[in-house]
Amino acid sequence: MLDLFETSWRDLWGDAAEAEPVGAVFTRPEIVALILDLAGYAPSAGRLAAKRVLEPSCGDGAFVAEVVARLVESERQYCQLDGWDDAVLDDALRAADISESALVAARRIIRERLVAGGCPVHRAKELSDRWTVHTDFLVANWPDRFDLIAGNPPYVRIEALPRRVLQRYRARYRTLTDRADIYVAFFERGLELLAPDGVLAFICANRFTKNQYGAALRSLIAEGYRVRYYVNLEHTQPFLTEVSAYPAILVIDRHRGGPTLAVTLGDIEPATLGQLHADAEKNGRARHSGPHAILSRFDRWYPEGGPWTTTRDDEHAAIARINARYPTLEESAPGTKVGIGVATGADRVFILKGKHPDIEEDRQLPMLMASNVSNQEIDWSGRYLINPFDEADDGSLVDLKEYPGLALYLEAHAAQLRSRHVAKSRPRAWYRTIDRVWPALRHTPKLVIPDIQASTVIGYDEGRYYPHHNLYWITSNTWDLLALKTLLRSTVVFDQVRAYSVQMRGGSLRYQAQTLRRVRVPPLSSLSADLVQRLAAAHAHDDQAVIDATATEAFNR
C-alpha cells in the first residue's frame, strides 16, 4: 500500500540543493497540443472543469500551460466566465513535481493564464496553489482517480538513482525490471490511477516497446488496457532542446480489446501533424494504404505483450506469417547459438594496439573489433585482448605469480581496475574482465555482426579471433555458416531485424542478441544440399538482388 511510503521529496532524494530538474526534457507546444487532442481533452468535448487532470512531472509547465489554456476556453464556452468560484474547478488539475523551482514556474504560468482568461487575481492565486503538489509522484498517496493523466515523465536511468530510492521503487512497481528507465514506473502508477473512462497520454522514450526491460510493462498494458494511439517519433525531435531520447506518444485507456491507431512519423512539420489530426478525427476509418491516410488501424495491438514490432498493419501481418512458418535462428539447426563478445570494463587496459613484448604470449588473444568486419573479409587491425582467465576454462583467474609479465602490467593499472564495480564486488578478482573469456570461442568458426549499422554487415571468422563487446557472434555445429550468412543478409531477415530492433537517429539498427534470437529463418533440414551450396557461394556478393533471390528460394521451400 502507498501509505507505507513517505511522500516527502526530501525524505527520498535527500537535502541537496537542486542543480537542475531531475530527468527534465521539455516538449514543443505543438506536440503538447497534439497529445491533448489525441487524449480528447478539448473544449469541443464538453466542460473540461468536470474532468480531473493529473500532470505527474510538470517540469517547466508545458503541459500545464496548455491544459489551463484549454480549461479557460472551455469555461468561456460553457460558463461565460462567471463561474470562477465554482467548486468543481478546485479538482480540475493536479500538477506534481519533486522540484520546488519547477512548481514555482508552474504556479506563475497558471496564474497568468487564469487572469488573462478573466479569473480574479485572488482566485487565480488560490487555484494555482491548490493545483500544484510538491511530491514524488511515484510514492505519493493519491486518493483520487483521474480522467486524464498527461505529460512527459522524467528520463532517469536506474543507475542514476540513489540506492534507497531505487529499492523503494523496485519494491512498489513490478514493471521496474532489469535496467528500465524510471518512466516505466510512471506508466504503471498512472494506469493504476485512471478512472474507468480515464486516459493516460505520455510522450516518452520508445525503448520499452521492443527492449527486454519493457516486457513487464507491455504485458501490464496488454492484460488490462488498450493502446488508443501509438505515434512513434523516433526519427523526429519533438523537444525544445536536442536530445537523443527516441520518443513516442502513447494514449492508453481501459477499453481493452478496442482498436489501436498507429503511425511512425518521419517529421513533425505542420502539414504532417495536420494529416495526423485529420486521420484521428475520422476515428481510424482511413487506413494507411489509402491515398492520403497515415494512420494504420490494428484490431488487436500485440495482445500477448510481445515487442511492438511495427506501426504498419501490413508489416505486422508479414511478421506474423514468418513467425508462424519458420523457427527462430537458434532453433533452425542443432547446436546453433547467438552470443556477444567480451566487455572488459577497461578497454584501454585490456585491449592492446599490438602484441605487448613483456606480457606472456598465451595471455594475449587476437581481438576482432566491429571496424574490422565487412561482408567480404576480415581486416584485422592487430589488436590483442589480455586474457586473465585460466586455461582450465572453469571461470577461475590465472595466478599472477606464474605470469610475472602480466602481473607487472596489471599492477601498473591496478588503481583503475580496482575502481570498477566488478572489482569492488569481487576484490580478490580485481583484474578480471566484466565478462568471462572463453578461449575456445577464439578457435571456433563464427559469424560476427557489428552492433550498430545502417545495413546488414556480417563477417565470417574461420576461427582466428576473439570478438569485442560491439560484435555479436553466431556459431553452429550443423549450419554451413556461409550459407547462413547469406540468409541473414537477405531483405527478409533485415525487415525482421528492423521490426525487433530499436532504431538509432538516422535509421541505424541495433543487432542485439535479443533481436537476433527472435529472427526466423528456414530450418536447415528443409534445404537441399544444392541450395545450401548456392547460398554459401553467394555470401559475399555485392548485389543485394543476388542475395535476395537465393534467400527467397530458401524461404519459399
Side-chain angles (χ1 to χ4, degrees):
M1 298 293 292
L2 281 179
D3 58 6
L4 296 176
F5 297 94
E6 300 93 339
T7 58
S8 167
W9 175 82
R10 294 189 184 280
D11 284 342
L12 284 176
W13 290 79
D15 295 322
E18 299 176 53
E20 60 182 51
V22 178
V25 180
F26 304 134
T27 314
R28 292 180 182 274
E30 64 269 30
I31 299 300
V32 174
L34 171 65
I35 293 169
L36 295 180
D37 286 344
L38 294 179
Y41 190 80
S44 59
R47 189 185 178 197
L48 296 181
K51 295 180 178 291
R52 293 174 181 263
V53 179
L54 172 64
E55 215 287 52
S57 181
C58 66
D60 71 336
F63 279 85
V64 168
E66 184 65 16
V67 166
V68 175
R70 293 182 179 215
L71 186 59
V72 168
E73 177 59 28
S74 173
E75 290 298 283
R76 187 191 313 277
Q77 292 185 26
Y78 294 96
C79 301
Q80 290 75 48
L81 300 178
D82 58 3
W84 291 112
D85 290 330
D86 191 338
V88 73
L89 287 166
D90 292 347
D91 296 321
L93 174 62
R94 291 291 184 271
D97 208 286
I98 64 172
S99 167
E100 178 62 42
S101 61
L103 291 172
V104 169
R107 293 184 191 112
R108 184 184 68 252
I109 291 170
I110 291 171
R111 290 194 300 270
E112 291 174 352
R113 292 293 174 106
L114 288 175
V115 171
C119 180
V121 173
H122 73 278
R123 180 59 167 157
K125 170 70 165 59
E126 180 182 290
L127 288 173
S128 69
D129 291 340
R130 183 176 180 85
W131 286 351
T132 52
V133 186
H134 188 204
T135 191
D136 182 339
F137 168 71
L138 294 179
V139 297
N141 185 9
W142 300 97
D144 300 320
R145 293 295 178 265
F146 296 91
D147 301 296
L148 172 62
I149 300 175
N152 178 5
Y155 294 61
V156 182
R157 294 296 299 173
I158 286 296
E159 296 87 346
L161 293 173
R163 179 173 295 181
R164 65 187 180 280
V165 177
L166 177 57
Q167 288 173 343
R168 292 167 190 252
Y169 288 170
R170 283 202 188 279
R172 173 62 179 81
Y173 296 104
R174 68 181 177 99
T175 59
L176 205 59
T177 61
D178 220 7
R179 299 180 63 191
D181 192 292
I182 197 65
Y183 72 81
V184 168
F186 272 71
F187 269 99
E188 182 175 344
R189 185 60 178 137
L191 292 172
E192 290 173 349
L193 292 173
L194 285 183
D197 288 323
V199 178
L200 181 145
F202 280 170
I203 181 170
C204 65
N206 68 356
R207 282 358 197 183
F208 87 90
T209 66
K210 293 185 179 182
N211 271 348
Q212 182 59 40
Y213 76 63
L217 177 56
R218 295 194 304 268
S219 294
L220 174 68
I221 294 171
E223 289 165 6
Y225 303 90
R226 184 266 295 260
V227 178
R228 184 189 294 182
Y229 292 101
Y230 177 59
V231 182
N232 185 6
L233 300 173
E234 65 187 359
H235 302 303
T236 73
Q237 189 56 254
F239 304 113
L240 292 174
T241 54
E242 191 79 17
V243 294
S244 56
Y246 306 103
I249 295 170
L250 287 98
V251 179
I252 304 174
D253 59 34
R254 291 186 178 274
H255 299 293
R256 185 172 182 265
T260 295
L261 302 178
V263 66
T264 296
L265 296 184
D267 64 78
I268 52 173
E269 295 299 319
T272 302
L273 297 184
Q275 180 65 59
L276 179 56
H277 273 284
D279 278 9
E281 289 175 359
K282 293 176 183 176
N283 199 26
R285 288 192 298 271
R287 304 176 72 90
H288 82 275
S289 56
H292 303 295
I294 59 175
L295 281 168
S296 285
R297 181 186 176 99
F298 289 73
D299 291 328
R300 302 179 72 226
W301 180 259
Y302 304 100
E304 305 304 322
W308 298 359
T309 55
T310 179
T311 58
R312 289 183 50 174
D313 51 357
D314 57 342
E315 290 182 353
H316 179 263
I319 292 294
R321 288 193 296 270
I322 288 174
N323 289 345
R325 183 172 182 182
Y326 303 111
T328 64
L329 176 57
E330 289 188 324
E331 296 170 341
S332 65
T336 302
K337 185 177 180 181
V338 174
I340 187 173
V342 62
T344 69
D347 280 2
R348 292 187 179 182
V349 176
F350 285 105
I351 299 178
L352 307 172
K353 293 183 178 179
K355 187 174 288 187
H356 197 293
D358 300 325
I359 299 176
E360 289 76 13
E361 188 166 343
D362 67 339
R363 295 295 91 205
Q364 302 182 68
L365 304 179
M367 167 149 263
L368 199 61
M369 313 297 287
S371 59
N372 304 152
V373 177
S374 73
N375 288 318
Q376 284 68 43
E377 61 182 0
I378 298 295
D379 185 15
W380 183 48
S381 57
R383 285 180 169 79
Y384 284 85
L385 168 69
I386 293 176
N387 177 19
F389 288 88
D390 193 87
E391 290 297 326
D393 210 11
D394 59 0
S396 61
L397 298 174
V398 295
D399 186 344
L400 292 181
K401 294 178 182 178
E402 299 178 6
Y403 290 91
L406 176 63
L408 187 64
Y409 176 82
L410 292 176
E411 286 290 352
H413 299 279
Q416 177 182 349
L417 296 180
R418 292 180 186 275
S419 67
R420 299 172 302 152
H421 175 75
V422 68
K424 290 179 179 179
S425 61
R426 308 183 203 180
R428 298 181 64 181
W430 61 271
Y431 56 95
R432 66 164 287 147
T433 52
I434 291 178
D435 295 333
R436 180 174 167 182
V437 177
W438 304 85
L441 179 60
R442 174 202 168 182
H443 300 291
T444 302
K446 51 193 167 291
L447 300 180
V448 284
I449 306 176
D451 181 2
I452 301 175
Q453 49 176 301
S455 58
T456 305
V457 175
I458 302 176
Y460 172 68
D461 169 25
E462 60 188 23
R464 296 182 178 182
Y465 308 105
Y466 203 93
H468 181 254
H469 186 67
N470 287 335
L471 284 170
Y472 294 90
W473 51 261
I474 301 170
T475 59
S476 181
N477 297 335
T478 47
W479 269 108
D480 180 324
L481 288 177
L482 296 182
L484 182 58
K485 176 183 171 182
T486 298
L487 289 175
L488 295 178
R489 287 188 62 197
S490 69
T491 299
V492 175
V493 169
F494 180 80
D495 287 344
Q496 294 180 64
V497 172
R498 185 177 57 186
Y500 291 115
S501 170
V502 295
Q503 291 196 29
M504 313 301 289
R505 196 75 70 208
S508 293
L509 304 179
R510 295 205 65 185
Y511 281 71
Q512 297 171 296
Q514 62 180 329
T515 298
L516 291 170
R517 291 189 178 110
R518 293 187 181 116
V519 163
R520 306 270 177 158
V521 296
L524 176 60
S525 60
S526 71
L527 308 181
S528 67
D530 173 69
L531 181 52
V532 170
Q533 187 175 14
R534 286 188 286 117
L535 284 166
H539 80 94
H541 211 289
D542 287 328
D543 190 343
Q544 187 65 41
V546 173
I547 296 288
D548 286 342
T550 315
T552 298
E553 186 178 347
F555 273 97
N556 288 338
R557 285 299 174 105

